[in-house]
Structures are given as C-alpha cells and as structure tokens.
Amino acid sequence: MKPFIVMEVLEKAAEMERRGIDVVHLEVGEPDFDVPKCVSHAVQAAFNEGHTHYTHSLGDVELREEIAHKYRKEYNVEVSPEQVLITSGSSPAILLALSVLCETGDEIILSDPGYACYANFIRFIEAKAIKIPVFEEDGFQYRPEMIRKKISDRTRAIIINSPMNPTGNMLSPEVMQELASFNIPILSDEIYHGLVYGDKAHSILEFTDNAFVLSGFSKLYAMTGLRLGYVIAPKQYVRYMQKIQQNLFICASSIAQRAGLEALRSAKDDIERMRKTYDKRRAFLISRLKKLGFRIQVEPTGAFYVFVNVKHLTENSYQLAFDILEKAHVGVTPGIDFGENGEGFIRFSYANSIENIAKGMDRLENYLEQHFSSSFISAR
C-alpha cells in the first residue's frame, strides 16, 4: 500500500513547526473552522443524557431518518432509512461498499487523478483499479467513451467524486446520466456536497438507483475529528454491509451520531457562513495564482481545492512540493499523490484564512523568483 503523501507533507510541516518554523498550511483538506455551536452542545448533551452505549449496527434510527429526509428535500429522491448505514467517517463507508461488490481480481473504474486512497482501498480488498485519465481542459470530467472501452465482465463499479478531490471540479449532469446508462453500480463520493459556489451539485441518485452514495459530516460541517459518515446503498446489499460492520466496527460512535443529528437539524446558518467564506478564499487564491503565471483552464467550483498545472516548472511534483515546504515554508500537496496523470500538478487547499493564504502566496512568489526565474517570468 502506498503512503498518503499529503499526510507526509503535513507530518514534515509539523516537525518544522516544532523547531520554531512558521509554516502556512495549504496542503491538508481539513476545514479550519470549529464545529458549529449546536454540534458542541449536542456532544455535551449526549454525554449528560447517557448516549454512550452501542447503537444499532446500521446506526441511530433518528439519524438515518434525517439523512433520508435530507436526500428527499435536497435532491427529490426517495431514500428509505433502511438503505442508510452510519459509519465512522466516510472511509469505512467506501470499504463496506467495495467489500460487498468485489471478489479477488474484480475491477473498479476510477479517475486519474482522483482521491489518493481509492486505489489503496481497492488494493486492500484484492481487486484491481482501472484508472481512466481525466484532463485539465475538460475540467477533469470523465470522457464516458473512455470508460466504455474499459468495461469488462469483471467490472463491478465506477467511482465518481463530485465535487472532486483533488481538483475542486464537478461532474456535469450529462456525464452522470451517461455513466448511469452503463448499468454498472456507481460509487458516488458526495462528501463535498454543500461546498459548491455556482451550479448545484447533483446526487447520483437523481439518475439511477443502481448506486452507493458515500458521504459524511467531516467537510461540510467541519466535524473531521468526530469521524462520522454514511453510505446509502441499494436495499439488496444492506444486510451484507451490516454484517461486515457488525464484525469490523460494531457501530459508529454514539456521541458522534447525536452530534450529526443536531448538525442536520440546526447547522444550516453555520454551514452557509462557512460556504461563503470558502468562496471568498477560492476567488482570492485563484486570482493570486493567476498573477503568479499559473493557468487555470476551468476554475473549480466545489470543495476547497485548486489543482494547478506546474509542468512549466517541473515534472516532479513530489520534489517540488517538499522543496516549497522546506524553502518557502508553505505546505502544498504534490499531484502525484492522486495518480500518475496528476504528475506535473500541485494541489492547493484554501481551508485556511485569507490572511494565511496571502502570506503563503507571497512566500511562493519569492520562492519562484529565486528558483525558477526564467520559466516563472516566461509563464507570466
């Protein structure tokens, strides 16, 4: 299993900070906001009221009902609470879905670049990742005809992620509809839904029932440390997933589940405030990157990432990212972390204040002028 490189950047940055070096963090995809106050109060109330025991292995029934209601209200799709399984973050949700779909040697289609851990999950269950290149000029959307050519009798699912990590781009409804027409289960990672700054994000359930929705509370609600996610699955798979959950995880945290319930019911104003703040940061970061000579062909409109082409500087994004960290004291994520087709790119996260983003861009400008003067000037 390959390392998750962004965590190694973060750990190197932490080591530098212990030596007294000020590092600007533009690498990690973690909200810099505290949880909404209603969530904090719900955690305290859960302790005080004794919600500290096992829940049903599928999850707290009230929370499952609230998630079903959310999908009816936001996407106009019918989801039964019995299709919802609550997990300790969205990562176990991915593992459960892949585990019920795959035997050894089966194939899962995914994008390149794409979220770094997908391929490692697939490797862990002894299936095979079939990577489909996606391109900057398309806004990193799938070209469905490329997927069609890779479908075999061992294909068990297609993974989509919209808004997407690492690019921040969204799949169009037309592409989602065409993927649904292949009649292959779709694993739709919708963890960044709600963090959109233009057109509405679409759930795959608007186009097909033959899908697993993977999501959670880490990104939209700034609840990363509470480890709370869920999967919405076709009914015929739920019992199998439940048995795996019972054996491997038992259930998600009872405290986190009460917090998630309150987040869904009461945090609307908080998440809108955070969303507007992210949008301001997005515009600011894109503007600064363009002034530094970086070309962004399709501006991202979701999540909190900008995936930037640095091929005019280097073809070794790993080396460049650690060089920027060590010499400019700015944490960024190398594109190679997200697949071979991500090489030559750097991911910037704007889950940080505009003041810190500005400081990071100033440091990056000085670094580029000192170490890449000719290519930097020609790009500008």
Side-chain angles (χ1 to χ4, degrees):
M1 185 173 288
K2 296 179 181 179
F4 195 7
I5 298 175
V6 66
M7 298 308 297
E8 301 204 331
V9 175
L10 185 63
E11 288 157 11
K12 174 69 174 178
E15 176 189 316
M16 293 169 62
E17 288 172 321
R18 286 193 295 272
R19 302 200 311 266
I21 298 171
D22 176 62
V23 176
V24 176
H25 292 278
L26 303 180
E27 78 281 49
V28 70
E30 179 177 29
D32 58 316
F33 298 101
D34 292 330
V35 297
K37 284 188 169 54
C38 64
V39 172
S40 298
H41 295 158
V43 168
Q44 290 298 323
F47 273 111
N48 295 338
E49 295 166 9
H51 292 285
T52 54
H53 304 279
Y54 292 140
T55 70
H56 193 289
S57 56
L58 289 176
D60 184 301
V61 66
E62 286 186 83
L63 178 56
R64 289 187 280 130
E65 289 172 345
E66 200 67 35
I67 290 169
H69 174 70
K70 169 186 171 72
Y71 273 75
R72 283 194 296 271
K73 181 179 178 182
E74 294 187 9
Y75 306 104
N76 195 31
V77 295
E78 282 299 319
V79 171
S80 165
E82 300 306 313
Q83 292 176 255
V84 181
L85 193 154
I86 308 300
T87 55
S88 300
S90 61
S91 294
I94 299 170
L95 180 61
L96 291 176
L98 290 172
S99 295
V100 297
L101 286 170
C102 295
E103 299 290 347
T104 297
D106 284 341
E107 297 174 352
I108 301 292
I109 290 173
L110 65 162
S111 67
D112 182 4
Y115 177 52
C117 296
Y118 293 147
N120 286 331
F121 277 116
I122 294 165
R123 185 175 293 110
F124 185 75
I125 62 168
E126 299 185 336
K128 183 179 179 182
I130 305 299
K131 296 188 177 183
I132 306 296
V134 292
F135 304 100
E136 182 180 19
E137 58 268 27
D138 298 332
F140 298 100
Q141 300 214 32
Y142 277 126
R143 295 177 181 175
E145 66 274 12
M146 295 180 69
I147 292 179
R148 188 181 291 107
K149 293 176 182 177
K150 291 294 185 179
I151 292 173
S152 75
D153 58 1
R154 300 303 298 268
T155 303
R156 295 293 174 264
I158 301 166
I159 295 180
I160 66 174
N161 179 207
S162 176
M164 183 185 183
N165 179 9
T167 69
N169 295 95
M170 295 198 295
L171 283 179
S172 71
E174 293 76 19
V175 168
M176 295 176 79
Q177 181 67 69
E178 190 162 357
L179 297 182
S181 73
F182 293 161
N183 199 30
I184 293 168
I186 295 178
L187 270 61
S188 180
D189 186 344
E190 301 181 2
I191 190 68
Y192 293 102
H193 274 219
L195 295 177
V196 294
Y197 318 106
D199 294 336
K200 173 182 177 288
H202 289 274
S203 173
I204 192 59
L205 296 178
E206 297 174 56
F207 306 97
T208 179
D209 295 327
N210 189 18
F212 296 73
V213 167
L214 314 163
S215 195
F217 295 79
S218 292
K219 309 300 184 178
L220 182 59
Y221 298 96
M223 290 169 54
T224 51
L226 276 73
R227 308 310 306 135
L228 186 65
Y230 58 88
V231 54
I232 302 171
K235 291 179 181 179
Q236 67 267 30
Y237 293 101
V238 173
R239 176 57 178 159
Y240 301 107
M241 297 172 73
Q242 181 185 15
K243 289 190 287 186
I244 299 171
Q245 167 105 318
Q246 289 171 339
N247 280 276
L248 297 186
F249 310 116
I250 300 179
C251 66
S253 159
S254 59
I255 299 295
Q257 291 189 64
R258 301 307 294 181
L261 178 62
E262 189 61 26
L264 289 172
R265 289 175 172 173
S266 305
K268 182 178 179 180
D269 291 343
D270 297 278
I271 62 176
E272 180 59 14
R273 172 180 52 83
M274 290 188 279
R275 190 195 68 81
K276 287 181 176 178
T277 302
Y278 286 130
D279 194 17
K280 291 177 182 176
R281 296 171 178 178
R282 179 184 70 95
F284 179 81
L285 176 59
I286 289 173
S287 174
R288 286 297 306 266
L289 288 168
K290 286 183 175 179
K291 288 177 181 177
L292 292 179
F294 295 108
R295 297 184 179 92
I296 300 169
Q297 293 191 40
V298 179
E299 292 189 7
T301 57
F304 32 63
Y305 307 115
V306 185
F307 203 54
V308 178
N309 191 324
V310 295
K311 291 177 182 177
H312 61 293
L313 303 177
T314 182
E315 289 289 341
N316 190 329
S317 61
Y318 183 93
Q319 185 180 63
L320 178 63
F322 279 93
D323 202 50
I324 290 171
L325 176 61
E326 292 174 7
K327 294 175 181 174
H329 304 159
V330 178
V332 297
T333 308
I336 192 63
D337 200 16
F338 307 102
E340 291 182 8
N341 203 44
E343 182 57 283
F345 288 79
I346 291 286
R347 190 192 74 176
F348 293 86
S349 167
Y350 48 90
N352 206 332
S353 68
I354 281 184
E355 292 75 20
N356 282 334
I357 294 170
K359 185 197 296 185
M361 291 298 101
D362 290 343
R363 292 179 180 182
L364 182 61
E365 182 172 12
N366 290 333
Y367 169 84
L368 292 171
E369 288 175 342
Q370 291 175 19
H371 299 281
F372 294 94
S373 55
S374 58
S375 54
F376 174 62
I377 291 169
S378 63
R380 298 179 76 180

